[in-house]
């Protein structure tokens, strides 16, 4: 569910960028709080307020509107900034305790296949 919600937010962000020629020029914060004024209801009816573990999904953008990242702290509820920094090197994971990260059009860290752990 969390990956689907992140993908829905990203689709709305991409549609916004088609109309405006840049991604929302916003700082970091909870995705719903930061993006709702820019995306609702034109690009998405309602931005999901939380992930599958009832925690905020997060937005990290830049002031130039060139890039963005949407992520969930996942099962362990940690939002490791160092994980976000090295996101392009991460890829598929086998546990939902790892952050789920989507950046400029694709997941860069995500759970895949049979999940391990409880």
């Amino acid at each position: 569910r969390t990956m689907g919600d992140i993908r829905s937010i990203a689709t709305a962000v991409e549609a916004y960028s088609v109309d405006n020629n840049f991604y929302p020029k916003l700082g970091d914060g909870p995705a719903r709080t930061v993006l709702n004024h820019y995306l609702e209801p034109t690009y998405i009816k309602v931005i999901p307020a939380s992930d599958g573990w009832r925690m905020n999904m997060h937005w990290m953008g830049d002031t130039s509107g060139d890039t963005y990242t949407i992520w969930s702290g996942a099962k362990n509820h940690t939002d490791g900034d160092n994980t976000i920094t090295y996101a392009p090197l991460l890829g598929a994971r086998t546990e939902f305790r790892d952050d789920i990260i989507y950046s400029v059009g694709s997941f860069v860290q995500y759970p895949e296949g049979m999940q391990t752990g409880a």
Side-chain angles (χ1 to χ4, degrees):
R1 178 192 140 213
T2 299
M3 290 177 69
D5 286 349
I6 289 173
R7 191 174 283 117
S8 294
I9 295 169
T11 299
V13 169
E14 295 292 337
Y16 175 94
S17 77
V18 168
D19 289 349
N20 295 283
N21 294 318
F22 53 83
Y23 299 118
K25 297 177 180 180
L26 305 167
D28 306 348
R32 175 150 172 65
T33 304
V34 174
L35 295 171
N36 67 341
H37 175 73
Y38 296 90
L39 302 181
E40 292 177 356
T42 305
Y43 301 101
I44 188 171
K45 186 174 180 179
V46 176
I47 296 171
S50 61
D51 62 17
W53 297 274
R54 298 187 197 131
M55 301 298 287
N56 286 332
M57 285 190 278
H58 300 276
W59 163 269
M60 182 168 48
D62 64 8
T63 56
S64 66
D66 292 332
T67 187
Y68 71 90
T69 301
I70 303 166
W71 81 94
S72 161
K75 186 175 182 177
N76 68 359
H77 311 299
T78 59
D79 304 318
D81 291 332
N82 61 336
T83 302
I84 302 302
T85 303
Y86 298 105
L89 306 174
L90 301 176
R93 294 287 182 251
T94 58
E95 295 188 35
F96 275 111
R97 67 186 173 114
D98 295 321
D99 293 357
I100 301 170
I101 306 166
Y102 188 96
S103 186
V104 191
S106 64
F107 283 97
V108 293
Q109 178 173 297
Y110 52 94
E112 179 179 77
M114 180 181 271
Q115 302 301 307
T116 61

